Amino acid sequence: MDKGLLDFLIKAKIATYASKGNNASVKPLMEGSRQLEFQDGDFFYRDIYFGMSYFIGQETVYHFGNPIWSMSYAGGVEKQYEIEFVQEVYAFLRKSMRMITSESPFRGPKEFIMEDFFYSDAHSGNLSQFVGEETITFRNKEVYRLNYSGGYIR
């Protein structure tokens, strides 16, 4: 199951928030939320989150209709920044998240640099149980932080 889940999770994450396409957006189940979905074979992925500059959400993977894996997350851009800069940070975040790998399957790569932006992800654990934190700095000043945790649903 780990290999099948891992391959699916990487595809789902790239196809949803990281791609910023509207193909994954669906009518949300919960009022005021944003909902992204992806299906491939017997696996189904759903990401529901609230907010923009600061957001809270949960990803869930289903196999044959049963929830088997989930990740909760919360974080965002520091509140003093204008929306234009927030959008620039999130565009960089999406690029970082498209670099997801089987060694780091929760958010983005361990590190990624583009111009004045630096992305960092640190986590411990594996698919069955994990915790992590990602940050983005701009010109050596932290502007974004997100904490996440999750694992198999038992």
Side-chain angles (χ1 to χ4, degrees):
M1 171 73 81
D2 276 357
K3 176 77 170 117
L5 173 61
L6 183 60
D7 292 344
F8 171 77
L9 192 58
I10 290 169
K11 280 194 255 180
K13 286 178 175 268
I14 290 171
T16 55
Y17 180 78
S19 72
K20 199 188 177 203
N22 284 329
N23 294 342
S25 293
V26 299
K27 184 176 181 192
L29 295 171
M30 296 189 280
E31 190 174 325
S33 71
R34 177 102 193 258
Q35 184 167 325
L36 307 171
E37 295 181 352
F38 177 80
Q39 182 156 7
D40 186 24
D42 301 326
F43 287 100
F44 176 75
Y45 169 91
R46 178 177 287 141
D47 180 7
I48 298 175
Y49 64 94
F50 295 87
M52 199 219 148
S53 293
Y54 185 84
F55 54 91
I56 297 172
Q58 181 174 16
E59 301 173 12
T60 306
V61 174
Y62 299 80
H63 189 241
F64 291 108
N66 298 310
I68 60 165
W69 183 91
S70 189
M71 179 176 85
S72 298
Y73 56 87
V77 176
E78 297 293 325
K79 61 184 171 186
Q80 73 263 25
Y81 296 109
E82 299 292 327
I83 191 66
E84 292 81 13
F85 182 71
V86 172
Q87 291 170 337
E88 195 176 337
V89 170
Y90 288 157
F92 173 70
L93 175 62
R94 284 190 299 279
K95 286 180 184 178
S96 301
M97 290 178 67
R98 285 193 294 270
M99 300 170 78
I100 189 172
T101 66
S102 59
E103 293 79 39
S104 186
F106 310 115
R107 297 290 293 170
K110 184 175 179 178
E111 294 180 347
F112 174 58
I113 299 170
M114 188 180 82
E115 298 170 7
D116 292 328
F117 286 101
F118 176 73
Y119 172 91
S120 176
D121 176 73
H123 61 270
S124 61
N126 54 40
L127 276 179
S128 64
Q129 188 173 7
F130 60 89
V131 296
E133 177 179 76
E134 71 180 2
T135 59
I136 294 176
T137 58
F138 178 75
R139 297 183 181 154
N140 297 317
K141 181 176 191 251
E142 185 176 298
V143 295
Y144 164 92
R145 175 179 298 270
L146 177 124
N147 293 293
Y148 60 89
S149 64
Y152 284 124
I153 298 169
R154 302 186 252 301

